[in-house]
Amino acid sequence: MTDLPPRSRGVIALLEENCTSCMLCARECPDWCIFIDSHKETVEPPGGGRSRQVNVLDRFAIDFALCMYCGICVEVCPFDALFWSPEYAYAAGDVAELTHERDQLREWLGSVPPPPELDPTGPVPAEVDRARSQRAPG
Amino acid sequence: MPVSSLADRLVALVDGGTPRVEFGRLTLDVPAAGWVAAATAARDDPGTDLSCFDWLSAVDELDSGFDVVLSVYSATHRHRALLRTRVPRSAPRLDSLVPVFAGADWHERETHEMFGIEFTGHPGLAPLLLPPGFEGHPLRKDFVLAARVAKEWPGEKEPGGDRPRRRARPLGVPEDWEQP
Amino acid sequence: MGHYPQCVATRFPAGRFTLWVLDVGLACCAVEVVAASLRASAEPVEGRPADVLVVAGTLTDTMAPAIARLYAELPEPKHVISFGACADCGGPYWDSYCVTKGVDQLIPVDVYVPGCPPRPEALLDGLQTLASRIDAGVLAG
């Protein structure tokens, strides 16, 4: 339809594998529209070693009726589990349908654009600089 | 006119005025009894000519009372000033500025309904924005924002479903508000 | 349009329907509805009663009786689209002392368009959703 700018804020997608249920997005959301339920599970690492506890996500829901698309949740996530997607056409006949649960948030991942290219005239990131100087010393 | 000379001029015109300059902006604190006289003097003196009424509102300073603030501008000299006075919380009354600036009419109506400050001599202190039947003064700091207290904060849960280690409070809810 | 001769309904194409839309622009979302009417090449026409009431913007408690009365005076069949977070459920102002948490507290809503504000294209998508729900027989008219 329309040619949307690359950083358009249409809907938020969740990459569940990155989420550790740290609750930062739910706490920082100004509208209180992110609902997270989780529990702890003990996991044995495959190569031996002591068992550890991980947080397992039970429920991750965003109420898009309340959401004001500020992006604080996407910015604050320390594990990059939330992404912006430019999809906007998800009007519904019932307000409850605007609360998207985990599976629907995962579906939106398909429409998340790749990250924008770095500015060629901008400063070189420290990691790239280090890698270049290591490869060609002196 | 540079801010310092504006401050000096206003201090000479207004009895008991205390100037304060912050970030290039002048605030003149005046006693409540001389509120109308201060605004009139600032407006009428040709050197200050603060005759353009910008806005009037209030700040809730808790136990100290309410600060009523008037912002005025001069179109001829292109300088601006804030006039500020304090009224006690137990008796929040102040003379109305409507005889001085006609535009203060609706600003005083809004300040009255939001803070409960009475402006004596105001032609008609009816509510301006709040719906009829509204109880309370919403912009006072002790007015409870009921929706944030009543709704369960999703961030209160701890990661992994632990028992909350500390009483996590959402932003904007002070310690002494009761949970329903 | 009864007591509101100055209200102008805008003709929007939506699938096989043509919907006559009356925009109740209460706040910032109203600008997006205007942008949508330009993008859809919609034409405003005076005197034509509206099929769809688009409530765009924050509904305050003071304004609520006016909206309820406007809805009551629309002739049947009528539909309502709630446009934007504020009209859907109070939006970012849900905690305010004088905001109605959604226009559906007053009048029945057929389609909810999320966004803050929604894109103008989202309104056109909302109208398409409404048209398909009418087509599917879920809604009257």
Side-chain angles (χ1 to χ4, degrees), chain A residues 20-23 26-28 30-40 55 66, chain B residues 147-149 151-162 166 168 170-171 173:
Chain A
T20 62
S21 318
C22 68
M23 304 294 290
R27 288 185 182 158
E28 296 296 326
D31 276 354
W32 300 4
C33 69
I34 301 184
F35 305 100
I36 298 175
D37 282 326
S38 56
H39 66 271
K40 282 198 181 338
N55 291 333
L66 268 174
Chain B
R148 292 254 178 195
V149 181
K151 179 172 171 175
E152 191 198 320
W153 183 39
E156 190 149 36
K157 302 182 185 144
E158 291 287 326
D162 282 336
R166 52 173 181 169
L171 292 171
V173 180

Side-chain angles (χ1 to χ4, degrees), chain A residues 2-14:
Chain A
T2 8
D3 223 354
L4 293 172
R7 286 180 292 173
S8 285
R9 297 178 174 189
V11 77
I12 297 170
L14 171 72

Side-chain angles (χ1 to χ4, degrees), chain B residues 70-132:
Chain B
L70 167 74
S71 172
V72 277
Y73 180 71
S74 169
T76 45
H77 300 298
R78 298 198 185 157
H79 54 218
R80 49 176 69 246
L82 289 175
L83 265 66
R84 183 167 61 188
T85 188
R86 178 155 293 181
V87 292
R89 208 178 181 85
S90 51
R93 268 183 297 278
L94 192 62
D95 291 325
S96 168
L97 282 182
V98 173
V100 183
F101 295 110
D105 190 332
W106 282 16
H107 291 246
E108 288 182 352
R109 278 172 67 185
E110 189 193 356
T111 310
H112 167 74
E113 69 176 354
M114 293 292 172
F115 291 92
I117 298 173
E118 205 186 294
F119 291 95
T120 46
H122 189 280
L125 214 54
L128 185 71
L129 299 169
L130 291 173

Side-chain angles (χ1 to χ4, degrees), chain A residues 9-135:
Chain A
R9 297 178 174 189
V11 77
I12 297 170
L14 171 72
L15 185 61
E16 214 179 301
E17 284 72 25
N18 282 7
C19 176
T20 62
S21 318
C22 68
M23 304 294 290
L24 270 173
C25 56
R27 288 185 182 158
E28 296 296 326
C29 174
D31 276 354
W32 300 4
C33 69
I34 301 184
F35 305 100
I36 298 175
D37 282 326
S38 56
H39 66 271
K40 282 198 181 338
E41 269 179 20
T42 316
V43 169
E44 310 284 337
R50 66 178 177 82
S51 55
R52 28 212 84 196
Q53 296 242 301
V54 290
N55 291 333
V56 174
L57 204 55
D58 291 324
R59 179 186 186 217
F60 192 109
I62 299 181
D63 185 357
F64 284 107
L66 268 174
C67 178
M68 64 172 171
Y69 301 83
C70 59
I72 288 177
C73 57
V74 177
E75 276 180 44
V76 86
C77 177
F79 305 103
D80 284 348
L82 291 169
F83 298 91
W84 277 118
S85 157
E87 285 294 323
Y88 56 81
Y90 49 102
D94 187 27
V95 169
E97 287 173 44
L98 286 176
T99 301
H100 292 191
E101 300 288 337
R102 275 158 68 193
D103 33 1
Q104 203 164 359
L105 292 176
R106 179 185 286 283
E107 271 177 41
W108 291 123
L109 278 173
S111 51
V112 172
E117 294 291 326
L118 292 175
D119 180 7
T121 61
V124 179
E127 303 86 0
V128 176
D129 202 26
R130 211 181 310 127
R132 283 183 191 159
S133 57
Q134 281 171 0
R135 227 181 305 146

Side-chain angles (χ1 to χ4, degrees), chain A residues 1-5 8 30-32 63-69 86 88-95 97-98, chain C residues 39 85-86 88-94 104 109-116 119 121-122 124-126 129 133:
Chain A
M1 218 187 188
T2 8
D3 223 354
L4 293 172
S8 285
D31 276 354
W32 300 4
D63 185 357
F64 284 107
L66 268 174
C67 178
M68 64 172 171
Y69 301 83
Y88 56 81
Y90 49 102
D94 187 27
V95 169
E97 287 173 44
L98 286 176
Chain C
R39 282 185 207 200
C86 292
D88 289 343
C89 60
Y93 308 112
W94 63 271
D104 55 1
V109 173
D110 298 311
V111 171
Y112 295 83
V113 182
C116 190
R119 293 192 69 89
E121 290 84 357
L124 304 179
D125 169 67
T129 309
R133 282 168 71 83

